[in-house]
């Protein structure tokens, strides 16, 4: 913020006031639902115990009909102003405690989306669609 003052000699002097508490920046920022979906999908897939994202029924039909949502696969976003609800469709690894994995995924997604977008995450709903079994390496006996 600049304060302009006029002296008797008609000189204009600029004084820079650095009061960060009063700084407001007005921006017109629109974030696509696809971007939110990508952030949520990547955050969830990094959680230990989440074996991967899977398509919900509607997303499966959309992909068959030609929709391409590679990175936001298994994520449904509902926006209401600055509030967002996220539905995740995941596969979990066999042997993990599902409530713990769901809790970790909810926290990771909420934190990532809020930090990166500034939106308010109202809910993160976890839908476990399947279980993935780890493949054990088979040693060749000679």
């Amino acid at each position: 913020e600049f304060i302009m003052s006029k002296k008797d000699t008609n000189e204009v002097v600029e004084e820079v006031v650095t009061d960060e508490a009063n700084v407001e920046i007005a921006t017109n920022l629109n974030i696509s639902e696809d971007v939110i979906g990508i952030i949520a999908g990547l955050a969830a897939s990094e959680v230990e115990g989440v074996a991967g994202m899977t398509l919900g029924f509607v997303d499966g039909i959309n992909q068959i009909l030609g929709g391409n949502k590679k990175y936001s696969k298994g994520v449904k976003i509902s926006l209401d102003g600055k509030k967002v609800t996220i539905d995740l469709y995941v596969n979990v690894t066999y042997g993990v405690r599902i409530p713990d994995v769901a809790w970790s995924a909810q926290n990771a997604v909420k934190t990532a989306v809020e930090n990166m977008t500034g939106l308010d995450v109202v809910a993160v709903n976890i839908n476990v669609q399947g279980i993935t079994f780890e493949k054990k390496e088979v040693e060749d006996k000679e």
Side-chain angles (χ1 to χ4, degrees):
E1 181 177 59
F2 291 98
I3 296 177
M4 306 292 281
S5 62
K6 215 172 189 187
K7 290 189 172 182
D8 292 335
T9 61
N10 290 334
E11 283 184 48
V12 177
V13 178
E14 294 180 356
E15 294 177 11
V16 178
V17 177
T18 56
D19 184 6
E20 293 182 16
N22 293 332
V23 174
E24 290 185 20
I25 300 172
T27 60
N28 293 325
L29 176 64
N30 294 316
I31 299 173
S32 169
E33 288 184 15
D34 289 339
V35 172
I36 298 167
I38 291 168
I39 294 167
L42 290 174
S45 64
E46 291 176 0
V47 172
E48 188 175 346
V50 174
M53 307 298 287
T54 184
L55 296 173
F57 179 72
V58 174
D59 287 334
I61 292 173
N62 285 342
Q63 190 173 40
I64 290 169
L65 296 176
N68 185 13
K69 290 186 175 185
K70 181 178 177 183
Y71 294 106
S72 61
K73 177 178 82 168
V75 181
K76 182 182 170 214
I77 303 296
S78 300
L79 271 174
D80 181 21
K82 288 193 164 229
K83 296 182 180 190
V84 61
T85 301
I86 302 168
D87 290 295
L88 297 175
Y89 299 88
V90 300
N91 288 331
V92 296
T93 307
Y94 177 77
V96 299
R97 191 166 185 277
I98 294 174
D100 292 344
V101 172
W103 179 256
S104 297
Q106 284 175 322
N107 286 331
V109 169
K110 183 179 189 326
T111 301
V113 171
E114 286 183 346
N115 288 344
M116 292 183 74
T117 65
L119 297 173
D120 182 26
V121 177
V122 176
V124 178
N125 302 313
I126 306 292
N127 301 285
V128 178
Q129 300 291 306
I131 296 176
T132 301
F133 298 92
E134 296 280 334
K135 293 183 181 178
K136 295 182 181 179
E137 294 182 16
V138 178
E139 295 179 14
D140 293 336
K141 295 181 182 179
E142 295 182 25

